[in-house]
Amino acid sequence: MSQTTGVEKLKEKLLGSRRPEDTRLPSFVSSAVAIEKSKVQGFPVYRLIPERARGNIFYLYQSDFSMPIRKKEWEYILELCRMTRMAVTVPLYPIAPEHDCEEAFDFLIPAYQGYCKRREEGPLIFVGSGAGAGLALSMMLQIWKEGLADPDKVVLLSPVMDTEFFDPELEKTLKRDGRELEFQLVKEFLNAYWVKNYAGRMEFTAPIYEDLHDICKDILVASGTKDPGNGYARYFSAKVQDTGNPLKFFEFRGVGRNFYFHSSKKETKHLMKVLHDFLLDTDDAIMYQYMQEVRQRADYSKWFPEIFRDEHAVRYISGHPKRAVGERKGMSIYNLVNASVLAAFDSAVELFLKEYPNGTVVYVGCSLDTMLERVDNGRVLWYNLDSPGRMAIRTMYTGLGKRERRIERSVDDFAWISELSAEMDQGLLFVVRDIFSYMSKKEMREFLNLLYKNFQGCNVLFDMPTARARVMSNMKGRNRGAEYRKRQLSMRDPRRELEVMSPIYSIVSERSVLENVHPRKSWKLGLKMSLMSNRRRNAWKIVHVRLGYEKYKTFD
């Protein structure tokens, strides 16, 4: 069967799937909010209007350029309307194979003009999903040329920004996933029925490659790592950030495109909190969630100042007293151990920098911790590494230091290794706090072996509980809801167990995090006794290991 025959069969299948109800608003939407319906060039435009609307969203749906809007997306749009209390305009734009790209934009620009005229008080916001996100980006380029009102904010969800598939990396990804034939079919179909006369006019067909300096200054991008278009989301985000625009990029590990249409997913709940704060200019949802760890470090600084002190957290909470109010357990052994772990890491990093003052430190899974501020010797090159979502929140919390680099990658996305540049003869330390205990022993060994392979002779600093401490930590952590993760790994004797793992692991030091912690007179008797018990059992240790021999080499 030829590819052309496959394209024609796909066309027939799509046309046969069309139903009259595809352009009708579902009854569950019309019964929930006020609806205003209009038509532009014969295509329907729906406007969902909540009571006392306080803003305007222009929503371009996920069509794959050839599919009508689905029920799940209407449910998502309704939830967006309810959550933001903004009027949401949904134009049902022309799609292939009946219509092409040129007809779509001939419809969308007048539809946007009408949207601007009927706006409510409040901001103008673009939200695009999938193919709609690519159309939204193209529209932003056209709006500037037409002299129309610029959107105040833009949200791009699982964006598809290249219908001519100029990027060969996408083809490689799909080939790896066994989807090469499907990709070729879609590519030929879009070229024949969507791109058509607009071939090579990238502002319409592949806006990701256009000059992005003058687009909206407040952009949020969300994508799943299993989305075939995830690479485009990453490329776009990096390109916009290179212009000096502080774009917010949230990447969700292990989910595919359109994951946000499934309200039960924890990733969807997380994203909705992000959108709540982004669209409404608040910090009521996602910032509240993330600020708990900052509140904890401020509390440790107050309760145990002779053990741990984080001036940055103290200053922040003092200036934002309502931002991280939550349950506070007080001076318990649980909090004492946590404060001691932080202090032990700071002390160990400072010791490393005394030996290697011009060294490089990579803080793996840094979250919002400002360790660099606490241990900075004025010379160290520091990498903070965490997921794009956490890094976006981190940017809202703290600025970028002069010798600080940031890598927006999930810890288990080992592509971050290629983004490191370290002079090995100056010393290289990986700080891995509160990560290995969530792994299996096999996963930990694979992680360390990968570091050894790429940076032989590097140092790794990590913490590890005993079995009993792990169980107690899991019990205490259950109240964290969606953020809760169960610790899997514990070690009673890290030195012996690491040597069994591999002979290339050389233990530099291991010690209890409570080794130098001494009770104060003001502490309650229960806390003093718990401290003595945990110290005697070496309940939580910090381990410094070297991977292989120091064969110094400069990595570019």
Side-chain angles (χ1 to χ4, degrees):
M1 181 184 297
S2 69
Q3 186 68 34
T4 303
T5 302
V7 168
E8 291 304 313
K9 286 201 170 187
L10 178 57
K11 174 187 175 182
E12 292 172 8
K13 181 179 179 180
L14 289 169
L15 291 174
S17 69
R18 299 284 189 264
R19 299 290 183 268
E21 57 268 25
D22 288 342
T23 57
R24 295 175 191 161
L25 192 71
S27 59
F28 69 84
V29 178
S30 56
S31 63
V33 293
I35 301 297
E36 178 185 288
K37 181 182 177 182
S38 60
K39 284 197 172 184
V40 175
Q41 299 178 358
F43 294 94
V45 178
Y46 293 101
R47 190 163 174 254
L48 287 62
I49 312 174
E51 291 187 20
R52 298 185 297 278
R54 55 184 177 183
N56 310 268
I57 293 176
F58 191 76
Y59 188 99
L60 297 178
Y61 73 97
Q62 160 62 318
S63 65
D64 284 330
F65 304 102
S66 61
M67 296 294 294
I69 188 169
R70 303 166 180 86
K71 178 184 175 182
K72 278 286 185 183
E73 189 154 12
W74 276 120
E75 292 174 352
Y76 180 74
I77 292 169
L78 179 58
E79 179 58 28
L80 202 60
C81 179
R82 285 170 169 166
M83 180 183 73
T84 61
R85 279 187 31 222
M86 292 185 180
V88 183
T89 299
V90 186
L92 301 191
Y93 54 85
I95 54 177
E98 304 98 314
H99 308 281
D100 60 25
C101 177
E102 183 175 4
E103 292 173 278
F105 284 103
D106 285 346
F107 160 80
L108 283 171
I109 297 300
Y112 181 72
Q113 289 174 321
Y115 158 78
C116 292
K117 292 177 182 177
R118 294 193 299 274
R119 64 184 292 183
E120 305 289 330
E121 290 293 327
L124 287 171
I125 298 172
F126 263 14
V127 177
S129 171
L135 294 175
L137 182 57
S138 290
M139 282 193 67
M140 282 192 287
L141 298 172
Q142 297 306 307
I143 284 169
W144 181 83
K145 293 180 180 179
E146 297 286 338
L148 300 176
D150 291 326
D152 297 294
K153 295 176 182 287
V154 175
V155 176
L156 305 177
L157 307 172
S158 297
V160 177
M161 303 179 177
D162 178 7
T163 56
E164 293 195 69
F165 304 102
F166 290 109
D167 186 0
E169 291 302 316
L170 178 62
E171 188 169 0
K172 290 180 183 178
T173 300
L174 293 170
K175 184 176 182 179
R176 180 197 65 201
D177 296 341
R179 301 175 60 185
E180 185 179 17
L181 293 178
E182 174 189 347
F183 164 74
Q184 290 297 334
L185 180 61
V186 170
K187 182 177 179 180
E188 291 294 329
F189 173 83
L190 290 178
N191 183 62
Y193 293 106
W194 177 258
V195 175
K196 294 178 69 174
N197 297 330
Y198 272 22
R201 297 184 62 181
M202 292 190 294
E203 70 271 28
F204 297 104
T205 64
I208 190 172
Y209 304 113
E210 291 295 287
D211 184 350
L212 302 177
H213 278 80
D214 295 321
I215 63 171
C216 178
K217 298 302 181 184
D218 210 352
I219 303 175
L220 185 147
V221 178
S223 176
T225 57
K226 288 190 175 180
D227 180 353
N230 180 242
Y232 284 120
R234 279 189 157 277
Y235 175 83
F236 171 78
S237 298
K239 184 175 180 178
V240 172
Q241 288 171 338
D242 285 345
T243 69
N245 188 339
L247 173 147
K248 299 173 179 65
F249 177 39
F250 287 82
E251 182 180 75
F252 295 87
R253 195 75 184 154
V255 295
R257 63 177 187 164
N258 309 334
F259 68 89
Y260 38 87
F261 294 156
H262 303 278
S263 59
S264 62
K265 285 182 175 290
K266 67 178 183 179
E267 292 84 4
T268 301
K269 294 175 182 177
H270 190 136
L271 178 59
M272 293 306 283
K273 288 181 180 180
V274 170
L275 291 177
H276 176 279
D277 283 0
F278 178 76
L279 296 175
L280 300 180
D281 287 318
T282 74
D283 52 27
D284 297 338
I286 198 65
M287 284 297 283
Y288 174 89
Q289 175 179 319
Y290 278 95
M291 284 302 112
Q292 296 308 305
E293 65 172 274
V294 180
R295 162 66 74 182
Q296 287 173 348
R297 291 199 299 275
D299 284 343
Y300 300 157
S301 302
K302 175 183 177 182
W303 297 331
F304 313 110
E306 71 285 0
I307 299 172
F308 174 76
R309 186 73 181 172
D310 187 332
E311 295 293 348
H312 193 105
V314 171
R315 290 194 303 268
Y316 188 87
I317 295 302
S318 296
H320 305 82
K322 295 183 180 180
R323 184 164 286 181
V325 176
E327 184 181 2
R328 300 167 66 181
K329 297 180 181 300
M331 296 174 65
S332 65
I333 185 62
Y334 178 76
N335 285 329
L336 176 59
V337 170
N338 287 339
S340 300
V341 169
L342 289 165
F345 270 99
D346 287 0
S347 177
V349 174
E350 287 174 338
L351 189 63
F352 174 82
L353 292 179
K354 285 181 180 179
E355 185 175 359
Y356 300 100
N358 295 313
T360 299
V361 175
V362 183
Y363 194 169
V364 181
C366 62
S367 192
L368 305 188
D369 192 6
T370 51
M371 185 188 292
L372 173 59
E373 185 175 281
R374 300 194 299 271
V375 305
D376 193 5
N377 66 349
R379 298 159 71 178
V380 61
L381 174 61
W382 192 280
Y383 284 91
N384 277 318
L385 161 70
D386 216 320
S387 65
R390 286 192 181 276
M391 282 302 188
I393 297 295
R394 185 182 180 90
T395 300
M396 299 164 68
Y397 169 56
T398 181
L400 185 67
K402 289 183 179 179
R403 283 167 287 99
E404 178 191 354
R405 308 287 184 269
R406 291 184 180 175
I407 300 178
E408 298 184 357
R409 294 274 184 183
S410 298
V411 172
D412 56 354
D413 175 10
F414 292 114
W416 55 262
I417 286 179
S418 65
E419 298 185 39
L420 296 178
S421 178
E423 294 187 7
M424 293 291 292
D425 57 349
Q426 298 294 323
L428 173 61
L429 174 67
F430 290 89
V431 176
V432 189
R433 183 180 68 85
D434 204 30
I435 289 180
F436 284 156
S437 63
Y438 293 103
M439 295 182 177
S440 66
K441 192 170 290 188
K442 178 182 177 182
E443 289 171 332
M444 179 182 177
R445 182 169 57 246
E446 290 174 348
F447 186 102
L448 292 173
N449 284 344
L450 195 60
L451 294 186
Y452 167 75
K453 179 180 178 182
N454 288 275
F455 304 101
Q456 183 174 345
C458 70
N459 296 265
V460 181
L461 195 66
F462 66 92
D463 57 320
M464 184 62 63
T466 61
R468 184 170 179 178
R470 171 177 55 82
V471 171
M472 294 301 295
S473 178
N474 284 335
M475 290 176 63
K476 290 287 186 182
R478 285 175 184 166
N479 63 358
R480 288 185 292 177
E483 287 289 293
Y484 171 69
R485 292 182 300 154
K486 188 176 181 180
R487 296 184 189 273
Q488 303 179 58
L489 187 60
S490 59
M491 292 183 181
R492 183 173 182 82
D493 185 352
R495 181 180 297 273
R496 184 182 64 82
E497 294 189 50
L498 282 169
E499 289 174 350
V500 169
M501 270 192 192
S502 173
I504 64 174
Y505 302 162
S506 173
I507 304 298
V508 177
S509 67
E510 63 161 313
R511 65 181 180 86
S512 167
V513 300
L514 299 171
E515 182 177 271
N516 298 317
V517 176
H518 303 285
R520 286 162 46 187
K521 290 183 179 180
S522 59
W523 289 4
K524 292 182 179 180
L525 179 60
L527 179 57
K528 292 178 181 179
M529 294 182 66
S530 294
L531 170 60
M532 292 175 61
S533 175
N534 279 269
R535 190 161 58 188
R536 184 173 61 252
R537 295 194 305 266
N538 290 324
W540 212 288
K541 290 187 176 183
I542 184 166
V543 184
H544 182 173
V545 59
R546 181 176 292 118
L547 305 183
Y549 302 100
E550 293 179 306
K551 293 184 178 179
Y552 297 127
K553 178 182 177 182
T554 299
F555 287 78
D556 298 321

